[in-house]
Amino acid sequence: MDLALQGCKVFPFIADAGIKAMSTQEQSAAVRGRSPARDSLGCTVASLGPPQELSGNGFVIYRRTHRERDQSRVETEASGRGLLAGVALGAGHRRRIFEAGRKADYAFAPDSCYVRSFLDDYRADIVTGFDFVLVEIAPRALHRACADLDLPPVDALSCSPGTADPVLAGLARALLPSLAAPERSAALFVDQVATAIQLHLVLRLHGGNPRPERRRGMSLGQVRRAQELLVESLQGNVLIGDVADACGVSRSQFIRGFRAATGVTPYQWLLRQRVERARELLVNSSLPLADVALSCGFSDQSHMTRTVSRHTGLAPGAWRRRH
């Protein structure tokens, strides 16, 4: 995660500020003296595509798309919700941000980002459409990420809008399949990626003087304990923090130490156990394929078929016929 961030680019803004930068719904609401309906992130609901959301322990992940033809305003009041990190999935988004009596115009390239605190009021005029993955991090999750990295707790992090961050972008994109099909997502996988995002943001944006990063790995006993906990939850409902606490290590040390010991991430290791368990049941039992899938933590039979086929080269039905 040791990646230098690049500065943002500032571009001319096309639309005028004020009511001209509002969507049709916002203009109508302004004339009637009423506020337009907004979502939890302050976006005008009428300008958004179908929402996608996932929530976990101390975080919420969103995918928000804004129609290209609509101009609107994003607006949130100061609160104690923590911070919000956003990653642009496409090119061409432009917005004007109003802050402390000033305004600045920004453009976003693919994989560029912004990070802002909910402690401050936020107001921005949206000129062009956008497609963003956004991660809301609660204060307690932010504080734990600081503790994981031996840094003093902070209540806010920020970076200039439009900043390039390939690491954050890669992690955000890894969540797209889970956002599109939350019923098939594993809590362990989402939590693992969300944890990596939190640690990355703190490492890059904290601004403090961290102690030398702990490079010690995990003992054989700690690795075995982690594996036991993961196997006990083939459904993938165990969380990174739970396993790390049981092993007496920080989340960053757990993820790094587990991968050093096994060659794979905790979720990848769990997925292998699911596949092995499915193969065992396919060969040694007469359970219907759908029941095998559910007992091994897959969301359904088709999910098991795709995963087993990808990992072994044979579909579940072929494994059963061969034996």
Side-chain angles (χ1 to χ4, degrees), residues 176-190:
L176 290 177
S178 297
L179 282 164
E183 71 282 357
R184 294 182 178 177
S185 65
L188 178 64
F189 172 76
V190 175

Side-chain angles (χ1 to χ4, degrees), residues 188 266-276 298 303 307 310-311:
L188 178 64
Y267 177 71
Q268 290 170 331
W269 188 88
L270 178 63
L271 201 56
R272 290 181 181 180
Q273 308 314 304
R274 287 179 177 173
V275 170
E276 289 303 314
F298 297 104
H303 183 204
T307 305
R310 184 171 68 251
H311 281 256

Side-chain angles (χ1 to χ4, degrees), residues 225-240:
R225 176 59 177 150
Q227 291 173 332
E228 290 172 358
L229 291 171
L230 292 172
V231 169
E232 287 173 5
S233 181
L234 281 182
Q235 301 295 329
N237 294 325
V238 67
L239 302 180
I240 294 294

